[in-house]
Amino acid sequence: MSLKNKIAIISGASRGIGRAIAVELAEAGANISFNYLHSDEQAKALEEEIKKMNVNARAFKADIKDYEAVRLWVDETRELFGGIDIVINNAGVTRDKALALMDPADWHEVISTNLDGTFNLSRASIVTFIKQKSGVILNISSVSGITGLPRQTNYSASKAGMIGFTKALAKEVASYNIRVNAVAPGFIETDMLKSLKEEHKSRIIEQIPSSRLGKPEEIAELVSFLASDSASYITGQTFVIDGGLSII
Ligand code: NAP
């Protein structure tokens, strides 16, 4: 899949799935602008690693929850790189708790990172896409947003919201040659799963028909395909990638 000379902007790429997406898109020839919030060293290391792949790369420290910070990041990317072709809404957090014990702060942190963040980056980029009559937006949702998971009312709501956002925006901008799709991973081996106890992880793996967790690189390969012209007639869809977890 070639993404040669494309410019991709990715939220939350210092670690995990976002990092794997940044590397995969760079391998396909795209220039990469990404943001992060805390992981300065990992972000710097990724920027250096990507630059060695003969494409441009730039890490920005910017809170995805903060619209003004995101707008500045997008504007600087446009100036530095000369445009934007691909937006990946990936930054996300969990604050798992039973609803009966969930503080409003846990609810708001998850909704504003995962859902407001998706609005912020998409809103800051969409006018460029409309003017140039092309663009791709990919939203990293979750199986949790499709099936619902206990202790994740905040997270499931945010990820289901991303799927509704994907469908509505896809219809709104298809006539401008802009495609909008979502990817819904199952359980993927990243820091996000670190808080799970080993016995809980084993129980999850028992429920996955493929009998293992997914790898960030497996998500990145699907994202790379959807970002490419090979997916030129696909829009408004959600692609589940979960080793069969959600088969009904
Ligand atoms: P992760 O390893 O915890 O990494 C999260 C990334 O998001 C980090 O780069 C982090 O930056 C960034 N981030 C978090 N809050 C941010 C903020 N306010 N502003 C800017 N960046 C922020 O998570 P992951 O597992 O790779 O998850 C990536 C996406 O996939 C998320 O949307 C998640 O919901 C989704 N997903 C994950 C799984 C899974 O099993 N892992 C399954 C389904 C969907 P810092 O390093 O600076 O904190």
Side-chain angles (χ1 to χ4, degrees), residues 110-120 157-163 165:
V110 170
I111 298 291
S112 53
T113 305
N114 303 2
L115 195 52
D116 295 359
T118 298
F119 165 81
N120 290 343
S158 72
K159 295 296 176 178
M162 288 174 79
I163 293 172
F165 178 95

Side-chain angles (χ1 to χ4, degrees), residues 68-132:
E68 268 315 296
V70 172
R71 198 182 56 76
L72 282 174
W73 166 38
V74 171
D75 286 352
E76 271 190 57
T77 298
R78 211 186 289 108
E79 273 173 37
L80 270 170
F81 289 56
I84 313 169
D85 302 296
I86 300 161
V87 163
I88 316 282
N89 286 303
N90 167 80
V93 293
T94 50
R95 295 284 184 276
D96 295 358
K97 236 170 232 173
L99 185 66
L101 300 172
M102 191 180 286
D103 293 329
D106 294 326
W107 173 266
H108 290 299
E109 179 64 16
V110 170
I111 298 291
S112 53
T113 305
N114 303 2
L115 195 52
D116 295 359
T118 298
F119 165 81
N120 290 343
L121 181 53
S122 307
R123 173 66 184 87
S125 312
I126 196 73
V127 177
T128 301
F129 283 2
I130 289 172
K131 281 188 186 153
Q132 71 196 18

Side-chain angles (χ1 to χ4, degrees), residues 11-19 35-40 42-43 60 62-66 89-94 109 112-114 140-144 155 158-159 162 183-193 216 219:
S11 68
S14 47
R15 296 180 284 120
I17 293 171
R19 186 185 204 288
N35 84 332
Y36 68 99
L37 189 57
H38 303 107
S39 308
D40 297 306
Q42 280 151 296
F60 290 82
D63 189 344
I64 199 69
K65 300 191 289 299
D66 177 347
N89 286 303
N90 167 80
V93 293
T94 50
E109 179 64 16
S112 53
T113 305
N114 303 2
I140 310 302
S141 176
S142 168
V143 159
S144 178
Y155 187 75
S158 72
K159 295 296 176 178
M162 288 174 79
V183 169
F187 289 98
I188 310 301
E189 230 161 5
T190 70
D191 293 345
M192 196 171 259
L193 298 196
I219 308 302

